[in-house]
Amino acid sequence: SCGVSLSRENAAILTREKGSKEMKWIDNLKTGAKLLGGFGALILMMLAIAGLGMEGMNRINQNVHNLYYNRTLPIAYVGKAATALYTLRGDLYKYILLPEERAKTGEAIRADQQTIREQIDRYRATELTEEESAALEEFDQAYAAYLKAVDAALANVDSGNQMLAILSVTDGGDVANARKAMGTAMQKLVDLNENLAEQDRLQSAQSFTATRNLLLGVALLAVALAAALTVLITRSITVPLGLTVAALKLIANGDLLRDFSEADKDKVRKRRDEIGALGKAMDGLVDYLQGTSEVASAIAGKDLTVQVQPRSEKDELRLAIARMHDSLRQSLTEVTESASALSAASTQLATAA
């Protein structure tokens, strides 16, 4: 059981060390690089969300555009053509039954025919599917047959065969049958566009749902990454700074960090960023203070053989200790010389007596 416990402890230690090594890369980055990297990552995530949103909105906009221009308007065109067809039917009856208005009615019939052709041509100018193209071909055939039947009826009226014209426009006649075929062709176009419009509506709804879910997923991922980056960068800066502040407070109170954990020191001085440089500078400061303390302790212990070596001409502390050291040596020399002189004088007096 002891062996198992030790192996578990060793595994835990190895895991912590591995995790520490894996996270060292962020400690070795310069502070500016960390901040720029963190903000840059946030900007990239925001751009990604904006790009995905724009792409989704473009798809929805395209579907709406297609729904209006290629589905709704064609139904309106067919509706106007159907209205013109019924108007033409009425004008044809007037042409047959009202001889005194035939000139005016003939112009109205030609205007009706032109309206039907214009509306169907406007339909034809939209983006057509293969089914629509086939349905338009059926309409063209039905319309050509209808025009032929109408022209024949008009010719019968003009030639005095009014009864034949009336028979052609009643149920079972050529004009009536051609008109019904046209109505069937128009209704097929309307039904086809309604089905296509429903497909576009469903596709728009699917695009909206997919875009919404994608944006939510990416936004949640961005929040998670931003939170992770925030924690990593914050801890990478605040933890070593906290240790540095604690060390400086100890130094300010006269503690020269002889009992400070080496592991905590390594967390600061072994980094490769500005905080690591600060830790190395603090190491130099502590070494300087400890060395100066040892010199001062030696002098306090009456050891004037120690050498006081200032690090520069601005090293006020060691220069002051050096002056104190020299002053003590000078005083000690003077005392020694005075003692020697006094001893010699005493000897001379004793001899003379």
Side-chain angles (χ1 to χ4, degrees):
S1 61
C2 290
V4 173
S5 177
L6 288 173
S7 63
R8 287 178 179 174
E9 290 179 2
N10 292 334
I13 292 171
L14 289 174
T15 302
R16 286 196 299 270
E17 290 180 352
K18 183 179 179 181
S20 176
K21 289 179 180 178
E22 288 175 352
M23 295 309 300
K24 255 186 177 179
W25 64 272
I26 196 168
D27 292 339
N28 294 330
L29 290 175
K30 298 295 184 181
T31 303
K34 290 174 191 171
L35 296 177
L36 287 175
F39 286 117
L42 290 176
I43 291 172
L44 288 176
M45 287 185 281
M46 291 173 64
L47 289 175
I49 293 173
L52 291 172
M54 286 295 297
E55 182 182 355
M57 292 299 294
N58 286 336
R59 286 200 303 269
I60 294 173
N61 181 64
Q62 183 61 37
N63 289 334
V64 172
H65 179 277
N66 189 61
L67 185 64
Y68 178 72
Y69 286 99
N70 297 323
R71 301 293 168 255
T72 304
L73 288 182
I75 293 175
Y77 299 150
V78 174
K80 290 179 181 179
T83 300
L85 176 62
Y86 280 103
T87 303
L88 192 154
R89 180 187 181 189
D91 289 336
L92 184 57
Y93 277 110
K94 287 174 63 178
Y95 191 88
I96 296 172
L97 300 175
L98 300 174
E100 66 278 6
E101 296 185 10
R102 281 177 184 167
K104 182 179 178 181
T105 306
E107 293 179 359
I109 289 173
R110 287 189 292 273
D112 295 335
Q113 293 173 345
Q114 181 65 25
T115 299
I116 293 171
R117 176 54 60 191
E118 287 177 354
Q119 294 302 320
I120 295 303
D121 286 342
R122 292 178 72 181
Y123 185 135
R124 205 185 308 275
T126 61
E127 296 180 11
L128 301 176
T129 64
E130 294 182 0
E131 293 177 331
E132 287 179 291
S133 297
L136 282 172
E137 289 181 5
E138 293 179 11
F139 170 83
D140 290 338
Q141 294 173 3
Y143 188 49
Y146 179 71
L147 290 178
K148 184 177 179 180
V150 169
D151 289 341
L154 293 175
N156 285 329
V157 173
D158 292 339
S159 63
N161 294 323
Q162 193 170 358
M163 185 57 65
L164 289 176
I166 293 174
L167 289 174
S168 68
V169 298
T170 56
D171 287 342
D174 292 341
V175 175
N177 291 336
R179 179 181 53 79
K180 290 178 181 179
M182 271 192 66
T184 300
M186 287 181 174
Q187 188 59 45
K188 184 176 181 180
L189 289 171
V190 171
D191 293 341
L192 182 59
N193 273 275
E194 287 178 350
N195 292 333
L196 292 172
E198 178 63 16
Q199 292 177 16
D200 287 342
R201 186 193 68 80
L202 292 175
Q203 187 175 359
S204 296
Q206 291 173 356
S207 296
F208 169 77
T209 302
T211 301
R212 180 199 62 194
N213 294 340
L214 180 62
L215 287 177
L216 283 175
V218 173
L220 290 175
L221 178 61
V223 169
L225 290 175
L229 281 174
T230 301
V231 171
L232 286 175
I233 294 175
T234 301
R235 285 184 58 80
S236 176
I237 294 174
T238 57
V239 170
L241 281 181
L243 292 172
T244 303
V245 169
L248 287 173
K249 285 182 177 179
L250 291 174
I251 292 173
N253 290 324
D255 188 334
L256 298 185
L257 308 183
R258 298 185 189 277
D259 299 326
F260 204 79
S261 169
E262 291 297 320
D264 286 340
K265 290 181 181 179
D266 288 341
K267 290 178 182 178
V268 179
R269 63 191 176 191
K270 287 191 175 181
R271 296 162 59 104
R272 296 178 185 174
D273 60 354
E274 294 86 348
I275 297 176
L278 176 62
K280 294 180 181 67
M282 278 196 60
D283 257 1
L285 172 62
V286 171
D287 289 342
Y288 167 79
L289 291 175
Q290 288 178 353
T292 304
S293 173
E294 291 170 359
V295 170
S297 296
I299 294 173
K302 301 179 181 180
D303 182 4
L304 299 181
T305 62
V306 295
Q307 297 294 321
V308 183
Q309 296 180 346
R311 292 190 174 181
S312 70
E313 60 183 12
K314 293 186 177 181
D315 188 349
E316 296 182 15
L317 179 59
R318 288 196 177 184
L319 285 172
I321 292 176
R323 287 195 297 271
M324 180 185 68
H325 175 268
D326 293 341
S327 177
L328 287 174
R329 288 187 65 177
Q330 180 65 31
S331 297
L332 184 59
T333 300
E334 291 176 356
V335 168
T336 302
E337 289 176 353
S338 297
S340 297
L342 181 60
S343 177
S346 298
T347 302
Q348 289 176 358
L349 289 173
T351 303

